[in-house]
Amino acid sequence: MADHVEEIKSRIDLADLVREYLSLTNSGSNLKARCPFHQEKSASFMVSPAKQIWHCFGCSTGGDLFSFFMKIEGLEFGEALRILADRAGVVLERHDPRIQGEKNRLTALLDLASQYYHQALLRAPQAETARAYCAQRHLDGALIDTFRIGYALPEYEALNNFLLSRKFTMAEILAVGLAIKKDRGYGCYDRFRDRLIIPITNVHGSVIGFAGRVLTADDQGAKYINSPQTSLYDKGRTVFGLDRTKQEIRKRDAVILVEGYMDFFALYRAGDIHVAATSGTALTVDQIRLLKRFTQNFLFAFDADTAGGQATMRGIELALKEGCNVRVIQLPKDENGVPIYKDPDECVTHESAAWKSVVEQATSFVEYSFGRVITPVAQTDGFEKKKATRRLLEIIGLLPDRIEQDHWIRKLAATLSLSEAILWEELSKTKDRPGRIEASRQGVTPMVPTPHTSSDILMSLLLHRPQQFEQVSGRLEEVMLAGDHARSLYRMFSSFYTEHKNPDVVEDFFESTKKILPADRVQPYFFLAESSLGALSELDVPTVAKSLTEKIRQEYIKERLDLLRHRMNQAEKQNDTTALQEAMREFQIIQSL
């Protein structure tokens, strides 16, 4: 595996890959851009073509070719490896080419089917009702083309015959769920007939299945028919539209989650491009984890009916267990508290200003829960009050912040006329609260602080000019450096330099650090030297190294002397002669440095 990774990295230039997403400009021997992973006005995202690494000083993230591709595309390592191997022309030895060939054929079959459906919608005489339906639902030509919306002809074997004529087999057509075997006799018929067809794509944009919607209200069939579970299409792992909206979701650091395809299209058309839809299922953990690759801020905008409310609550709880920040968009209501519109599509279509308003006023999930759980009956009936209280305590228990918990405990006590002390006691009994999630389960990587001290700058300089270590080590000890990362690098320098006295060998120090220290410890120092010391001439380097060394020494000496003075004063006050003598001896040693 390591060989595959290195071969891929040798064939794909990091700067070329980054340019596909960002506009890079020169910055000395490096390249810079505005970071795609957080909002910033000035460029702090750096790429080193020489070292094939990147680092952002704004959000303290960095890495190599793979880490950038995984982060920008929201991929797991295995997915990134396969895609980049394909691009680099690297054959993954453990990969079965026969299976990959079969998968490629099925993917090509689905892509061809989506083109067939799309052309049928645009051109077929039988699609007149479908075209009228699109106009009625405000699905304009641009949106139809962007999402390749199509139409399934009413004939029983129209698609089957087309795909067979293109040299695909019936076994393959069945494998992707486009055909159904006849109950009696020999043969198969098309799964989708006389329906509007919506291609379902994976996060990379490949067609993996379809949704077929009825076109008339009097149709006796199901409103939607989705492709069945196949080797390519897993409903519980698919988020509709994410391939088109993932970059906007990342840019806005938020996703609006809707239930239906038409809700998705309505919001997309209205300019809310940070939207995604569940695909034929209630929201699953896998879908949440996929979305979390792009944002942890979820705005739920499900339908106004009872089922929509229940789905919202289930989705909220799952998202909270995964460590997400959750808000709920509540559709506009009349004076009696009844929703005016049944779903986001209807709201956006009839009153776009009202939609924008409810998005801006999205409430916290706890506020939403209070509104649903605390009914008039719960405020008066003892049994119902107990049920409502326990339900809300479960939800409050999901909150990781004690201050926020206190706010809602106070509100719950006031609303249901209960004692705060009793509520806190009941809350403490809640075991295994989903809100208490370790960072590792949330996929959170601790940030490495951006280096900026004199110690950091000196270590950065040594990364570029390791030959200066001999001069530095004569005046500097590890304990004098500020910060664990700087000290770690200093130990590496010391060990490496002791083993390799030849300056030419020391030039390889940067590569050696990557084998021992995490990349995110080393890379910020490499780029810091470029930004802080990039204008230095070779003649200036020894002088700057010496100046930084002396500054660090003096800072350390001053800090130690101040501390020892404090210790001596304390020892005098406490008449502790032994402690006083020890502090005085150390004071004299530090003064002599």
Side-chain angles (χ1 to χ4, degrees):
M1 186 66 71
D3 290 343
H4 291 149
V5 168
E6 290 308 314
E7 187 176 358
I8 290 167
K9 288 163 74 172
S10 72
R11 295 189 186 190
I12 300 176
D13 181 71
L14 173 63
D16 289 342
L17 179 69
V18 173
R19 281 193 185 94
E20 294 179 13
Y21 300 90
L22 308 174
S23 177
L24 292 171
T25 58
N26 291 326
S27 177
S29 60
N30 295 321
L31 302 165
K32 67 179 181 180
R34 282 203 290 264
C35 181
F37 307 124
H38 79 287
Q39 295 296 312
E40 62 178 8
K41 293 181 179 178
S42 57
S44 60
F45 180 93
M46 306 292 290
V47 175
S48 168
K51 301 295 185 185
Q52 290 291 292
I53 58 173
W54 62 276
H55 183 79
C56 174
F57 285 94
C59 60
S60 297
T61 55
D64 60 6
L65 178 88
F66 277 85
S67 63
F68 176 79
F69 191 60
M70 289 163 63
K71 193 169 180 65
I72 197 78
E73 287 290 346
L75 304 173
E76 299 294 343
F77 175 75
E79 296 172 294
L81 180 67
R82 287 191 294 273
I83 294 169
L84 291 176
D86 244 3
R87 174 172 175 155
V90 173
V91 177
L92 302 178
E93 292 171 6
R94 286 165 53 185
H95 197 67
D96 188 334
R98 180 183 59 80
I99 294 175
Q100 185 59 43
E102 291 173 359
K103 181 180 176 182
N104 289 343
R105 275 189 62 82
L106 296 182
T107 301
L109 186 158
L110 287 167
D111 185 70
L112 182 61
S114 73
Q115 293 181 48
Y116 176 84
Y117 286 138
H118 183 57
Q119 291 303 315
L121 176 64
L122 298 180
R123 304 174 190 280
Q126 303 99 307
E128 194 55 48
T129 302
R131 289 191 285 268
Y133 177 83
C134 288
Q136 175 195 337
R137 299 303 297 263
H138 306 281
L139 303 178
D140 59 30
L143 193 142
I144 288 170
D145 287 341
T146 297
F147 292 92
R148 206 187 281 178
I149 296 171
Y151 170 70
L153 296 172
E155 290 81 7
Y156 268 72
E157 298 180 32
L159 179 65
N160 281 354
N161 290 335
F162 170 75
L163 293 173
L164 290 169
S165 73
R166 295 300 183 94
K167 308 304 181 187
F168 289 102
T169 66
M170 185 53 69
E172 290 170 328
I173 300 170
L174 286 167
V176 295
L178 287 174
I180 299 173
K181 286 185 177 180
K182 294 178 180 177
D183 291 334
R184 297 178 181 178
Y186 174 79
C188 304
Y189 59 91
D190 293 351
R191 179 179 297 275
F192 301 104
R193 300 181 311 282
D194 194 26
R195 286 177 178 261
L196 189 75
I197 298 296
I198 301 166
I200 299 170
T201 53
N202 61 20
V203 71
H204 315 304
S206 299
V207 179
I208 54 176
F210 298 93
R213 195 196 190 287
V214 296
L215 296 169
T216 58
D218 58 354
D219 195 306
Q220 297 303 305
K223 183 177 178 181
Y224 275 101
I225 296 175
N226 280 1
S227 291
Q229 197 90 347
T230 69
S231 61
L232 297 180
Y233 178 41
D234 185 336
K235 295 180 183 181
R237 293 174 180 268
T238 302
V239 178
F240 179 76
L242 191 56
D243 60 309
R244 292 283 178 180
T245 63
K246 60 188 177 184
Q247 298 302 344
E248 190 68 19
I249 289 170
R250 176 184 282 119
K251 180 180 176 182
R252 299 201 194 187
D253 193 20
V255 59
I256 298 175
L257 271 170
V258 296
E259 283 185 288
Y261 301 107
M262 293 301 161
D263 289 335
F264 175 94
F265 291 138
L267 268 60
Y268 190 93
R269 185 182 67 248
D272 281 331
I273 301 175
H274 57 307
V275 61
T278 54
S279 181
T281 65
L283 191 65
T284 67
V285 171
D286 287 323
Q287 289 170 332
I288 290 168
R289 289 175 179 169
L290 175 59
L291 286 162
K292 274 182 63 182
R293 299 180 190 178
F294 306 98
T295 184
Q296 293 203 9
N297 298 309
F298 289 31
L299 284 80
F300 286 79
F302 286 168
D303 294 354
D305 59 23
T306 303
Q310 291 172 350
T312 299
M313 294 300 286
R314 287 195 301 271
I316 282 173
E317 290 172 14
L318 287 174
L320 289 168
K321 288 175 184 177
E322 290 298 311
C324 300
N325 302 315
V326 176
R327 286 183 292 158
V328 179
I329 297 170
Q330 299 187 69
L331 295 176
K333 298 176 181 178
D334 62 20
E335 61 274 9
N336 298 315
V338 178
I340 300 170
Y341 306 107
K342 63 180 174 59
D343 54 33
D345 174 18
E346 196 174 85
C347 180
V348 171
T349 302
H350 291 89
E351 200 177 350
S352 60
W355 168 254
K356 292 186 184 300
S357 176
V358 294
V359 172
E360 291 170 0
Q361 296 168 22
T363 57
S364 77
F365 80 96
V366 188
E367 186 76 55
Y368 177 81
S369 302
F370 267 67
R372 286 185 57 82
V373 175
I374 300 179
T375 62
V377 176
Q379 292 178 301
T380 56
D381 181 81
F383 179 73
E384 290 299 324
K385 180 182 290 190
K386 181 177 72 172
K387 281 192 351 185
T389 300
R390 288 185 173 170
R391 175 67 184 127
L392 287 171
L393 284 175
E394 287 176 5
I395 294 169
I396 293 169
L398 297 172
L399 298 170
D401 187 89
R402 176 84 172 187
I403 295 173
E404 199 174 356
Q405 285 183 346
D406 182 72
H407 169 80
W408 293 110
I409 287 288
R410 288 172 184 271
K411 178 169 181 176
L412 181 57
T415 306
L416 293 181
S417 302
L418 296 170
S419 160
E420 290 180 27
I422 290 175
L423 291 178
W424 279 113
E425 184 181 346
E426 289 298 313
L427 182 64
S428 68
K429 294 177 183 177
T430 307
K431 297 180 180 179
D432 301 321
R433 293 208 297 266
R436 293 182 175 179
I437 305 170
E438 293 95 3
S440 59
R441 283 186 59 202
Q442 294 186 46
V444 176
T445 303
M447 277 193 178
V448 178
T450 299
H452 62 279
T453 66
S454 298
S455 298
D456 294 327
I457 295 172
L458 179 60
M459 293 304 102
S460 298
L461 176 63
L462 292 179
L463 270 176
H464 287 265
R465 299 293 183 272
Q467 299 90 340
Q468 297 300 317
F469 182 75
E470 186 170 12
Q471 175 198 172
V472 169
S473 61
R475 296 286 293 163
L476 203 62
E477 297 175 19
E478 179 188 327
V479 69
M480 296 178 176
L481 293 162
D484 292 339
H485 294 310
R487 292 192 199 106
S488 296
L489 277 175
Y490 188 87
R491 283 196 297 274
M492 286 284 299
F493 276 117
S494 181
S495 173
F496 195 84
Y497 197 84
T498 301
E499 184 180 351
H500 305 288
K501 288 293 185 181
N502 184 345
D504 292 333
V505 177
V506 180
E507 288 287 1
D508 296 329
F509 176 77
F510 180 80
E511 291 303 317
S512 74
T513 62
K514 294 195 293 187
K515 299 174 184 175
I516 300 172
L517 291 178
D520 59 3
R521 287 196 186 184
V522 181
Q523 289 164 358
Y525 290 90
F526 174 80
F527 286 111
L528 180 67
E530 284 291 308
S531 59
S532 301
L533 307 165
L536 287 181
S537 69
E538 287 299 319
L539 294 175
D540 292 329
V541 170
T543 304
V544 173
K546 182 179 179 181
S547 174
L548 286 168
T549 301
E550 293 308 314
K551 183 178 180 183
I552 293 165
R553 277 175 56 83
Q554 294 308 313
E555 287 174 350
Y556 171 77
I557 290 169
K558 181 180 182 304
E559 182 181 326
R560 290 298 301 169
L561 291 177
D562 288 345
L563 177 62
L564 288 167
R565 287 190 187 97
H566 176 72
R567 281 171 53 185
M568 287 188 289
N569 288 336
Q570 291 296 107
E572 283 180 344
K573 288 177 182 178
Q574 297 168 8
N575 293 318
D576 189 338
T577 308
T578 302
L580 178 61
Q581 289 175 345
E582 286 179 359
M584 289 177 67
R585 275 197 299 271
E586 188 175 348
F587 191 91
Q588 290 170 348
I589 293 170
I590 297 296
Q591 268 192 322
S592 66
L593 289 175

